[in-house]
Amino acid sequence: MEVKKIFLPESELPRKWYNIAADMPTPMEPPLHPGTGQPCGPEDLAPIFPMPLIEQEVSQERWIDIPDEVMAKYQIWRPSPLYRAYSLEKFLDTPAKIYFKNEGVSPAGSHKPNTAIAQAYYNKISGTKRITTETGAGQWGSALSFCCALFGLECKVYMVKVSYQQKPYRRIMMETWCGSCVPSPSTETNAGRTILEQNPDSPGSLGIAISEAVEAAVGDEDTKYSLGSVLNHVMLHQTVIGLEAQKQMEIAGDYPDVIIGCAGGGSNFAGLALPFVRDKINGKDIDIIGVEPTSCPTMTKGSFSYDFGDTVQMTPLLPMHTLGHTFVPEGIHAGGLRYHGMAPVVSQLLLDNLFRPVAIPQLETFQAGITFARSEGYISAPETDHAVAATIREALKAKEEGKEKTILFNWSGHGLVDMAAYEAYLSGKLADHELAEDEIERALADIAPLPKPQQYKG
Amino acid sequence: MEVKKIFLPESELPRKWYNIAADMPTPMEPPLHPGTGQPCGPEDLAPIFPMPLIEQEVSQERWIDIPDEVMAKYQIWRPSPLYRAYSLEKFLDTPAKIYFKNEGVSPAGSHKPNTAIAQAYYNKISGTKRITTETGAGQWGSALSFCCALFGLECKVYMVKVSYQQKPYRRIMMETWCGSCVPSPSTETNAGRTILEQNPDSPGSLGIAISEAVEAAVGDEDTKYSLGSVLNHVMLHQTVIGLEAQKQMEIAGDYPDVIIGCAGGGSNFAGLALPFVRDKINGKDIDIIGVEPTSCPTMTKGSFSYDFGDTVQMTPLLPMHTLGHTFVPEGIHAGGLRYHGMAPVVSQLLLDNLFRPVAIPQLETFQAGITFARSEGYISAPETDHAVAATIREALKAKEEGKEKTILFNWSGHGLVDMAAYEAYLSGKLADHELAEDEIERALADIAPLPKPQQYKG
């Protein structure tokens, strides 16, 4: 009997998050104040975030303790199991060994609660009563609603309108956990009203929803804002994935030659990859791959620049790979991963060649998801299908080359609340979309007047 | 750090299913042939089921080996974790200790694959190419589609029409796993056409869908039929739940005073309870509770009688608690658990007072589900909410009595594909429904002319 799933006992849950800022060969550029253009101090961020999270955002400490209260909530679903994908290997007839970390076991069905629970906790102890946030496909909004329920916080979610209409189950999940959810752009904020005046039929975007959520937080001292990806403290919290995976790979008696994760804002990719990036910095030979959609090619075609995190330019300027803060992705793409920017941590590691980005068209990702479902059983989130597709590419390459190889990918969530996307694929209604060069130029033009980071290599 | 989840290593997966037929104080009455009224022999069942399942159906062996090929597939999600519900206990301020077995970790999200995988396997080795079945709320149809995909079998599902319309995600899950799904009554079978002639707007029922699925199987020698509950071999396969739970409770250093499961056809209740019923027969003092909806009160108000499993009287007559094979449940009930009959195994144990049935109105079950989601995090299937509601009743009783008590319930599945039911509850659109005495009399009148089992105590 071959072991398929490797569990860790709860006593082996990591007690500290790993902060890669301590080990990066090139330090990150600081965020800049949107008004002054000067580096942001903690006081600039205080109206938006509670102080413990601001401290984590700028920390250079390699290891940061996970509070007991967060540990106790992590126990609801963590440690998550590491799986060996024997059936997929057999189906592909590959010499590669394929492992995946199953983050779909959380109540919200994805990796997002890893940071939501920490953010809810730090807000709670800082006196916050209410958290605002945005959500695209709905994974983040539901995760934060779930975690706010556990700590007795109110949660208000601005959901990209096109997703709000397509994914009612996500909204109902939020409401089941006490969250309240409105379609964005909404009439509740100046940002939303401004967008609606320009375009009453705006489908919304993450950039717009962030503007609304930030505005709603800044105006009320009991309210803070929360972001589900991109920021340093979010990447930090997600490292619990990779730290567990390292222990589990050791139990399996194996070590990955290839690490794969899908990347929208970068948090699930970073969560698995960062502890292994540390190994790479320390001399290990690992091929680390971040996967994005060809329809939102932030890493493969974007510019590394200072840019706003939101559409109406309320957030600090972040040094990141970006398609421009006014970028609105094509509605055709059924999954998430549609944010215009990439986490500064991930962007800097990309500049330093510590991983390589790959863009995959959406039809290939759904085909991969179907193959996975019919071999391994689990139906992946459309986002996760990007990681599955890259894994299949690598496994087939290993077969072609006749090479044994160990692949580890992050199965960041299940797709049971995203079945409409599968139906669109199965019924032939989805198409691929690759941004033309002139579309990219047009998107990037908006960020041109902004300051350039010193390490700009564009 | 208190342990919340108890995992078993895969090496501790039970190697045998437990067959309670070997230990029942009163043997079950045999099924009768629908034409002759004589006890069914294996040859009567051969057009419907493969021989290994027929042998299990009538077996008196206490332990039946789980084949290696089934074990390998069980490893995809089994052993399932046993949870301690600390947060729910705290919320209820109860002295009771509450444990639950999390069957929601399977790819289909419920306990149903425990038998689907075994049935797919035995069909595969018997040369079956195609399996037909029915599904109500969709849990069973999606579970069988998933398991057929793993063994390369075709799967055809007749889905109760009202659910087919309300729950498109379930249908898309089936299609993602290669299954094909049509609304029942359909025009593909004589049974379906007959019903549609009488009532073109028939919402369908499990009884009708079973008629269609059986008819489609009987007419084709490569095709067999599969049932997701009620039959002895289904109860048998589900005992893997209780057998694991016994090992896990031992690791927890505890033993349940109360066992709770919801019951539609009876399989998830039996799956957890039967190994403990054996302990009870051997002298243990355990309060075992089967929970049903007040809108379909098979155990609490039905008659113990011989009745058909389907509406158009194609199946053998089974000795069971029943509301009559023409019973069509009110459309108002949002969950499953709406079958007119109860498994013969469960029915006989009820006659012998080895457990007690409880009926709970639907508003209380959803309120319980919300309480569970906001304390323990996981959103339960509406069916499972019945078990949660009974657990909360028992925990509050323990508080009232000031008694320590250990409760174990079967968390039979998650509700992420059933969010429409939660929305109906949250928006005040659901009502309770209790069958009036004359409705029950009317339903039961249809079974009156059928033979009565010798143990009939009505």
Side-chain angles (χ1 to χ4, degrees), chain A residues 44-50 53-54 119 123 127-134 144 154-158 182 186 188-192 208-227 310 314-316:
Chain A
D44 295 320
L45 298 171
I48 312 184
F49 299 113
L53 291 176
I54 295 172
Q119 294 192 44
N123 270 288
T128 306
K129 301 275 182 278
R130 185 165 166 273
I131 301 182
T132 63
T133 196
E134 73 293 326
L144 190 65
E154 281 178 57
C155 182
K156 172 73 177 247
V157 182
Y158 295 86
V182 293
S186 78
E188 296 185 8
T189 65
N190 289 327
I208 296 168
I210 292 175
S211 296
E212 292 208 87
V214 170
E215 182 185 328
V218 169
D220 176 0
E221 72 177 83
D222 288 340
T223 303
K224 298 288 181 198
Y225 165 72
S226 166
L227 190 61
D310 70 325
M314 295 179 66
T315 70

Side-chain angles (χ1 to χ4, degrees), chain B residues 390-435:
Chain B
T391 298
I392 290 177
R393 282 190 185 183
E394 289 300 311
L396 293 178
K397 201 167 78 183
K399 180 180 174 180
E400 224 175 84
E401 294 169 353
K403 257 197 211 159
E404 279 197 27
K405 195 188 267 187
T406 298
I407 303 171
L408 166 61
F409 78 91
N410 200 7
W411 198 76
S412 54
H414 68 64
L416 298 185
V417 202
D418 305 289
M419 295 313 298
Y422 277 86
E423 172 155 62
Y425 172 73
L426 288 167
S427 59
K429 285 184 197 138
L430 288 189
D432 278 333
H433 181 69
E434 194 152 356
L435 288 187

Side-chain angles (χ1 to χ4, degrees), chain A residues 56-182:
Chain A
Q56 291 181 355
E57 188 63 21
V58 299
S59 171
Q60 296 293 314
E61 293 293 318
R62 182 171 291 116
W63 298 103
I64 294 181
D65 285 337
I66 305 177
D68 289 347
E69 293 84 348
V70 173
M71 291 290 284
K73 302 302 183 195
Y74 272 172
Q75 285 178 268
I76 293 175
W77 73 96
R78 305 210 71 84
S80 71
L82 180 79
Y83 272 66
R84 175 79 184 270
Y86 289 114
S87 302
L88 180 61
E89 292 171 18
K90 199 172 157 191
F91 175 81
L92 298 173
D93 187 25
T94 174
K97 291 191 268 187
I98 302 174
Y99 293 87
F100 64 94
K101 184 76 168 150
N102 182 348
E103 290 293 308
V105 294
S106 78
S110 78
H111 68 292
K112 292 286 188 189
N114 296 333
T115 182
I117 206 75
Q119 294 192 44
Y121 166 75
Y122 288 116
N123 270 288
K124 179 75 179 181
I125 62 168
S126 304
T128 306
K129 301 275 182 278
R130 185 165 166 273
I131 301 182
T132 63
T133 196
E134 73 293 326
T135 198
Q139 278 191 348
W140 171 245
S142 53
L144 190 65
S145 296
F146 149 54
C147 295
C148 282
L150 296 190
F151 283 111
L153 294 165
E154 281 178 57
C155 182
K156 172 73 177 247
V157 182
Y158 295 86
M159 185 167 184
V160 175
K161 192 189 279 171
V162 60
S163 292
Y164 182 93
Q165 289 161 343
Q166 284 169 357
K167 305 196 169 186
Y169 280 23
R170 283 282 176 197
R171 168 181 56 76
I172 307 166
M173 286 170 73
M174 297 178 215
E175 291 167 355
T176 299
W177 283 311
C178 296
S180 107
C181 174
V182 293

